Amino acid sequence: MLDTSRDPVPAPAPGAVPAPAPSEADEPRGCLFALSQPPLMIFLAVIGGLLLMAAVHDLFLL
């Protein structure tokens, strides 16, 4: 059978002892973790506020 796995480490032999599961600290963090960071949320809030102010200005003052 053709090996199609993307892991650089080959699969263990059938009689081998399995390796311990990786801890949560070793797992990559995704987009939801990035959005939970305060500096990013402050930046996005400032940009959103500027866009909102520009939209209100265009709608009501021009």
Side-chain angles (χ1 to χ4, degrees):
M1 184 172 177
L2 184 62
D3 182 19
T4 58
S5 65
R6 296 183 182 187
D7 295 332
V9 179
V17 177
S23 66
E24 291 182 12
D26 295 338
E27 295 180 7
R29 293 184 171 143
C31 183
L32 291 178
F33 175 78
L35 286 176
S36 68
Q37 301 303 309
L40 178 61
M41 292 306 294
I42 292 171
F43 172 76
L44 293 175
V46 168
I47 296 300
L50 291 173
L51 289 173
L52 180 65
M53 287 174 35
V56 168
H57 177 267
D58 287 347
L59 288 173
F60 297 115
L61 298 178
L62 289 181

